[in-house]
Amino acid sequence: MAREENIVQELNSKFSFLEGKIRIQRQRRIFLEVELAHFKELFEYALKNMKFSLLSAMTGLDEGVNLGCIYHLASDDGVTLNIKATFPKENPQIQTITGYFPAAEIYERELIDLFGIEVQGLGPGNRYPLTDDWPKDEFPLRKDWKAKGGQDA
Amino acid sequence: MAGIKEMVNWARIKSPWILHFNTGACNACDIEIVASLTPVYDIERFGIQLKGTPRHADILVCSGPVTRQVEDRLVRIYEQMLHPKFVVAVGTCACSGGIFNGCYNVRSGIDKVIPVSAYIPGCPASPKAIIDGVVKLLESLKEENKGKIKLPITIK
Amino acid sequence: MHNSEEFKIPIGPQHPSLKEPVSFSVALKGEKIMGVGIRLGYNHRGIEKACEERTYIQDIYLVERTCGICSHSHATCFAQGVEDIAGIEVPIRARYLRTLVGELERIHSHLLWLGVAGHEIGFDTLLMYSWRDREVVMDILAMLTGNRVNYGINTLGGVRRDINAKQIKEVLKAVDALEERTKYYIEIASQETTVIKRLSGVGVLSKEDAVRLGAVGPTARASGVERDIRRDDPYAAYAEIKFDVITDNHNDVYGRTVVRLKELMECYKIIRQVLSNLPEGPVSVKVPRKIPAGETLSRYEAPRGEDVHYIKANGTEKPERVKIRAPTLANIQAVKRMLEDRYLADMPIVIAAIDPCFSCTDRLISLERLESKKKEIMPWVNLHAYSIEWHRKRGVDFTKLNKKWLRYFKS
C-alpha cells in the first residue's frame, strides 16, 4: 500500500481542502470528494503531475439534494483515483473536461441525458443515449424517476 | 394461374431469403443466427440465404427487445417487405422482452410492434433451435400442410 | 395510449440520420472522408436503472446480458465489485475457474472477430474457417458451464460449477487443436500479400493519439500502448500467472490483427497454466443478501479492452448505483480520428477493427458530398460491397484467395 499512501500524502500536502476527504478503499483504489470550485486544480494536478493518464469512466450520481459526478482516472501501474464532485440539483452545472480528454464528450452527453446535468463548454452534438423525441425534462437515472406504466409506448 | 402460384410457393419454401435485424439486443442471438450460417450448422443447405434488403426477403428474422430508437425502423422494414411475409422472433427478448421486460426505452417484444409468425425462445436461442423454427415455418407453408399447422409457431 | 404518429421524428432530406442512433454521418470530398459524426444509443436498454431495482444476484444475470460476446467479462467484473464492497475473499479455486472461462471467452471473441474482419474485406473463407474453429470453444464452454453464451457461471462469492478431471482433459485437447489452427492464421496474416496489403496503412492511430483519445484493449496495444488490466491491475488469478502483454507498432488494422492473433496464443498459455496449477478447495463462499454500504471500482480486461463497473451499495439487498462503461465506448472516439482523411472504402474494416460490440447488421451511413452538397444514405451492406469493389480495382482481390483456401477447406 506504499504507493497508495504516497499518493494520498502528496495530495494532502498539496491541497488542504482534501483534509479528511480521501480514503484508500483497497489496493489501487483511492476515493476522494471535492467541492466543484476546487475540482479543476485538483484534476489538472492529477493529470500533469501524478501521471493519471487514462480517463476510465465518468459516473453520474443522484444523492438526493445534490447530484454528483465521479471522474475515474487511472495510471499506467493500475492505480485508480476516483474524484467525486458534487453540486446542487437546482443548479447542476459543471465544466467540460474535453480539453483534457476529447473522449470525455460521450460520457458528458450521458450525464446530460440521464441526469440532467448541464455541461458548460460542450458544443452542439448528437444526444446519447436517448432518442431525440425523449422529453427534455425526464431524466431516467434520477432517483425520483420511475418508468411509468406504458413506458413501453 | 394455379401453376404460377404453386411455383412461387415452391420457390419460397425451397429457397427463402431472410433478412436479419437486431432491435437492440445484446448480440448473443445475432451471433447465433450468423453461426447457423457457418459450416457446423449450415442453414444454407435449406436454401436459406441472408439478404441485405427488405424488398428481397421472405422472412424477417428478428432479435432483441425493441428499443425506442429502433421501433420505427422495424415497422418500416416490415412494411417494405412484400407479401406474403413472415416474422421470426429469435430469443427470449424478442418473444417477450426477456430480462429487459419493463425497462424504460424498451418495448418488450417484437409482437408489440409487428405480427410474429414463429417464436424461438432461448437466451440465446441456439442455432439448432433457430434452424428448427425456420424449418417448421417453411413446413407450414407447404400446400399439403395448409390449415394443419397454425401460425404463430412456438418452439419449445 | 399513444399512436405511432406522436413519435414521428421529421425525416427530411436535411437530417435522415436522426432516425438511426447507430449511424455515421460522413462528410466526403470526392472519396476522402473529411469528418465523421457517430450517433449511438441503439442498444440502450436502461440496464443501469434496472440494476437499482433488482437484487445483486439478479443483477449478475442482467449485467451478463449487456453484451452477448463478452458476457462473462461483465458478470465477473460486477461480481468482483460486489465482493470487494462486502469484504468477501473469493476462494482461490473459484478465481482460477473465473480466469479459465474468461480466457475461453477471449478465444471465442477473437476468433469471431477474425471471421468478421475477413468478411469485411471480402475474405469470406476466413469467416467460415475461424467460425468453425470457434465452435470447438463453444462446445467446451457448453460442457463447462451449460450454455454456449451467457454462461451464468458466476455467483456472488465464487462460481456455480466445478470442473472435473475428465473436463480438464477435454479442455486441454481443444486448446492443443486450436493452437495449431491459430498458427495457421498467423501464417496467413504474415505471409498472404493480399491480406497484408489490404490491412496495412488503414485505420492509422498513432501512439500519442491512442493515449490522448483513451483507447483501450487491442486497439491501443496495436499502437504500442502497453495497457492491459490483467497485468496492471490484476484480478481473479492473473497475479499468479505468467503471460505477455502483446503490443505491436504498426498502429493500423494490420497491427490489430497481429495483436489479436498473438493474444490467442497467450490465451492457450494461460489456460494451460490455470489447469496445471488449479488449487483445491471450495468454489464459492456465502455472501450476505444485504451488502454493507460502500463503493468500489471494478476493472476487467474484456476481449475488447477495459471494462469498468462502478458499484455503490447502501446496506440493502439492491445496489444504490451501478455504472457500466463497456470497452467499445472508450474506443469510439479513436474511430473518428482513424477515419479522418481516409477513403470511404476503408470504413467497414476500420470500424470492424475496434471490434465494436453493437449490432453488426443495422448500421447506416449518411453521406454528405461537400462539393455538391448532396446528401445520400448508404446502408451498411452497400458500403461493404462498395469497399470490396474499390479495393479490387486497386489490385486487392480476394476472389482468388477465397478459391485457393476453399480447396483446403473442403478436404
Side-chain angles (χ1 to χ4, degrees), chain C residues 28 67 130-131 190 196 223 291 295 298 304 366 395 398 407:
Chain C
L28 284 180
C67 171
S130 56
W131 280 52
S190 51
I196 299 172
S223 295
I291 304 291
E295 58 184 346
S298 182
R304 282 158 190 74
S366 80
F398 282 94
R407 268 210 312 271

Side-chain angles (χ1 to χ4, degrees), chain C residues 2-36:
Chain C
H2 89 286
N3 61 46
S4 57
E5 264 166 295
E6 283 179 47
F7 285 85
K8 241 189 196 124
I9 298 163
I11 316 166
Q14 262 73 36
H15 300 283
S17 66
L18 279 181
K19 262 240 183 206
E20 306 300 333
V22 175
S23 68
F24 301 91
S25 20
V26 182
L28 284 180
K29 211 172 193 166
E31 284 176 335
K32 275 220 162 172
I33 298 176
M34 292 290 119
V36 179

Side-chain angles (χ1 to χ4, degrees), chain C residues 196-346:
Chain C
I196 299 172
K197 229 165 114 182
R198 181 67 179 82
L199 300 178
S200 299
V202 173
V204 176
L205 187 71
S206 69
K207 187 171 180 178
E208 293 71 43
D209 278 342
V211 173
R212 189 175 60 92
L213 298 170
V216 294
T219 307
R221 292 196 281 276
S223 295
V225 179
E226 236 187 278
R227 276 183 187 148
D228 190 329
I229 307 286
R230 294 175 294 170
R231 184 200 57 189
D232 302 332
D233 193 354
Y235 54 89
Y238 289 104
E240 303 176 15
I241 297 182
K242 287 194 179 54
F243 65 97
D244 295 319
V245 172
I246 307 288
T247 57
D248 191 79
N249 289 316
H250 284 97
N251 297 1
D252 58 15
V253 172
Y254 182 70
R256 284 162 217 142
T257 312
V258 168
V259 167
R260 288 191 178 96
L261 287 173
K262 288 189 178 163
E263 276 186 7
L264 280 173
M265 301 301 281
E266 291 302 307
C267 289
Y268 308 137
K269 215 162 107 186
I270 296 173
I271 291 177
R272 289 195 182 106
Q273 282 179 65
V274 163
L275 291 177
S276 63
N277 299 333
L278 192 59
E280 297 298 317
V283 292
S284 70
V285 289
K286 220 161 157 35
V287 171
R289 281 186 57 162
K290 296 198 178 152
I291 304 291
E295 58 184 346
T296 193
L297 189 73
S298 182
R299 299 164 89 200
Y300 187 102
E301 184 74 21
R304 282 158 190 74
E306 179 198 14
D307 182 23
V308 167
H309 288 208
Y310 167 80
I311 305 166
K312 187 166 181 196
N314 58 12
T316 65
E317 47 186 32
K318 297 186 183 171
E320 170 86 8
R321 175 85 171 97
V322 175
K323 161 90 184 138
I324 302 171
R325 199 279 278 137
T328 302
L329 202 59
N331 282 330
I332 208 78
Q333 282 283 30
V335 168
K336 282 208 246 184
R337 180 74 193 89
M338 287 181 222
L339 287 172
E340 271 163 23
D341 221 24
R342 297 295 315 177
Y343 296 104
L344 182 66
D346 289 328

